[in-house]
């Protein structure tokens, strides 16, 4: 199996080219503040969804004010620099007033160490790894610059051998799962968000120290529905991501807000791949109490 050429290796991790060596180095000294709010996820786990929710909650449900800025400007993604960015986001964040809201996919080995040792608020969103894998496959093939198209069977092999950006789903998730009881950590799943979004908005609100009334919480949940976010140009990144291609119009038909479903993996994994993944999953998680079984197996 060949290495996927549009990713690079850095500090032992496979990373997107948009994560430069400069950014990795800057993370070693990036100063974390106790009143930061970090949204930490493995890619394609519902990051954008949680970003929009956090943004709406922190603005006390003032949806008009948040719609004036793109989501990436409200909650910058610290890991990458894209062609439309004027400078790396970490530089902007260093100068930003508190409280800062920051998105990252960095595994604990690459994240600024203050996230692990200080007490900023961390919201970790996890998702069934099979759905993550399928979502990654469509996303990387459609949106990552210079990407040669990779067939599903090949991508599956890359995912299960961690040769995908930001490394192993298992290591990433287990680190934060093991810290989920700490009072400054909130561990939530994509599936919980699908099941009861109002409850998750309410939990996020309490976690951020807000006292929002029922009507506001319901309004935020409605604003964060798949249909509303897909129509919201400040939250749906399709436009920006299309611009991120070197060749202009790629004829890409995949949307950033693709399906937003639980269990879409059933349309993609073969029976044999499902078995391989289930065995890997059981093997990796047998010593732990992280239990996604009802979504995964
Ligand atoms: P699919 O590709 O399965 O549709 P991330 O923001 O971490 O990159 O995750 C993107 C995934 O979350 C995509 O999954 C996207 O459709 C889904 N998503 C984003 N907003 C959503 C919402 N409001 N409701 C449900 N799914 C959402």
């Amino acid at each position: 199996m060949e290495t996927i050429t549009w990713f690079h290796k850095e500090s032992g991790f496979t990373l997107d080219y948009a994560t430069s060596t400069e950014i990795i180095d800057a993370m070693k000294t990036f100063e974390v503040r106790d009143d930061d709010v970090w949204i930490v996820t493995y890619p394609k786990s519902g990051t954008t969804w949680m970003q929009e929710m956090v943004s709406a909650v922190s603005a006390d449900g003032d949806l008009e004010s948040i719609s004036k800025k793109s989501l990436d400007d409200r909650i910058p993604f610290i890991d990458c620099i894209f062609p439309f960015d004027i400078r790396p986001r970490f530089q902007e964040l260093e100068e930003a007033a508190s409280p800062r809201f920051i998105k990252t996919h960095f595994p604990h080995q690459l994240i600024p160490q203050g996230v692990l040792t200080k007490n900023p608020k961390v919201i970790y969103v996890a998702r069934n790894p099979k759905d993550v894998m399928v979502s990654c496959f469509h996303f990387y093939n459609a949106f990552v610059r210079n990407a040669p198209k990779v067939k599903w069977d090949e991508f599956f092999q890359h995912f299960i051998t961690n040769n995908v950006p930001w490394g192993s789903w298992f290591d990433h998730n287990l680190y934060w799962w093991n810290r989920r009881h700490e009072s400054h950590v909130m561990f939530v799943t994509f599936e919980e968000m699908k099941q009861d979004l109002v409850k998750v908005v309410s939990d996020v609100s309490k976690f951020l120290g807000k006292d929002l009334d029922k009507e506001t919480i319901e309004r935020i949940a409605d604003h964060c529905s798949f249909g509303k976010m897909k129509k919201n140009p400040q939250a749906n990144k399709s436009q920006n991501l299309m611009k991120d291609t070197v060749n202009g119009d790629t004829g890409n038909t995949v949307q950033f807000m693709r399906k937003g479903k639980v269990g879409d993996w059933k349309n993609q994994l073969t029976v044999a791949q499902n078995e391989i993944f289930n065995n890997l999953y059981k093997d990796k998680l047998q010593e732990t109490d992280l239990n996604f079984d009802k979504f995964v197996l």
Side-chain angles (χ1 to χ4, degrees):
M1 185 175 58
E2 287 182 27
T3 309
I4 303 182
T5 49
W6 71 95
F7 302 138
H8 66 123
K9 295 267 181 194
E10 190 71 54
S11 311
F13 283 87
T14 300
L15 290 167
D16 188 313
Y17 269 117
T19 304
S20 64
T21 307
E22 182 196 5
I23 295 174
I24 299 281
D25 283 347
M27 294 304 97
K28 293 175 188 151
T29 52
F30 184 82
E31 208 163 311
V32 173
R33 302 180 195 157
D34 281 329
D35 56 2
D36 282 345
V37 177
W38 287 72
I39 298 174
V40 184
T41 60
Y42 190 85
K44 312 316 289 175
S45 300
T47 328
T48 316
W49 196 3
M50 180 54 75
Q51 281 175 278
E52 189 64 17
M53 189 187 300
V54 165
S55 180
V57 165
S58 64
D60 298 314
D62 183 349
L63 303 177
E64 203 184 315
S65 82
I66 63 170
S67 69
K68 291 186 178 130
K69 258 178 151 184
S70 80
L71 187 50
D72 283 335
D73 287 337
R74 283 175 271 148
I75 306 187
F77 182 27
I78 201 168
D79 307 18
C80 290
I81 177 156
F82 298 107
F84 48 84
D85 288 330
I86 296 159
R87 58 181 178 156
R89 294 292 185 153
F90 73 82
Q91 288 178 0
E92 187 182 299
L93 283 162
E94 279 166 350
E95 294 161 14
S98 291
R100 302 177 302 184
F101 295 85
I102 305 170
K103 160 188 164 181
T104 185
H105 294 319
F106 279 133
H108 70 275
Q109 296 92 335
L110 301 181
I111 209 168
Q113 291 303 290
V115 178
L116 315 181
T117 56
K118 294 186 167 188
N119 289 328
K121 288 197 162 66
V122 172
I123 300 180
Y124 190 85
V125 188
R127 184 183 189 187
N128 174 347
K130 291 180 193 170
D131 283 335
V132 165
M133 183 180 352
V134 173
S135 185
C136 283
F137 167 67
H138 290 290
F139 181 81
Y140 298 148
N141 265 350
F143 294 117
V144 176
R145 278 168 293 144
N146 286 336
K149 302 292 173 216
V150 172
K151 296 220 163 48
W152 163 251
D153 289 352
E154 195 185 341
F155 186 80
F156 177 80
Q157 287 303 324
H158 284 295
F159 191 91
I160 64 172
T161 53
N162 309 329
N163 187 27
V164 281
W166 292 279
S168 158
W169 178 90
F170 294 98
D171 293 351
H172 205 289
N173 277 260
L174 277 174
Y175 180 84
W176 287 104
W177 174 255
N178 290 332
R179 295 190 61 169
R180 72 194 180 283
H181 294 312
E182 295 176 34
S183 57
H184 64 103
V185 176
M186 177 176 176
F187 191 101
V188 61
T189 65
F190 184 98
E191 291 77 12
E192 285 166 330
M193 290 163 78
K194 284 295 285 189
Q195 199 170 25
D196 192 345
L197 195 54
V198 170
K199 178 178 181 303
V200 176
V201 176
S202 170
D203 291 348
V204 165
S205 158
K206 282 185 209 130
F207 183 69
L208 295 181
K210 294 283 181 183
D211 185 20
L212 303 183
D213 59 33
K214 193 166 169 277
E215 182 276 326
T216 307
I217 287 173
E218 285 173 357
R219 212 159 32 78
I220 293 174
D222 178 61
H223 172 77
C224 292
S225 68
F226 185 80
K228 290 260 168 85
M229 275 186 61
K230 194 172 170 102
K231 279 196 224 128
N232 177 353
Q234 302 291 40
N236 183 350
K237 300 185 210 178
S238 290
Q239 293 306 322
N240 265 353
L241 288 162
M242 300 286 187
K243 271 192 265 163
D244 193 27
T245 52
V246 257
N247 300 320
D249 181 10
T250 55
N252 180 9
T253 52
V254 176
Q255 288 286 319
F256 177 83
M257 302 280 298
R258 199 180 58 90
K259 290 190 178 174
K261 290 193 173 151
V262 170
D264 185 40
W265 64 266
K266 290 178 188 145
N267 298 314
Q268 190 76 48
L269 272 74
T270 63
V271 172
Q273 285 169 339
N274 191 32
E275 203 169 310
I276 292 169
F277 192 85
N278 285 349
N279 287 335
L280 179 70
Y281 174 86
K282 282 189 198 146
D283 182 47
K284 293 267 189 192
L285 298 185
Q286 65 180 348
E287 304 282 309
T288 82
D289 56 355
L290 173 56
N291 196 332
F292 266 106
D293 293 0
K294 69 178 168 162
F295 304 121
V296 175
L297 298 176

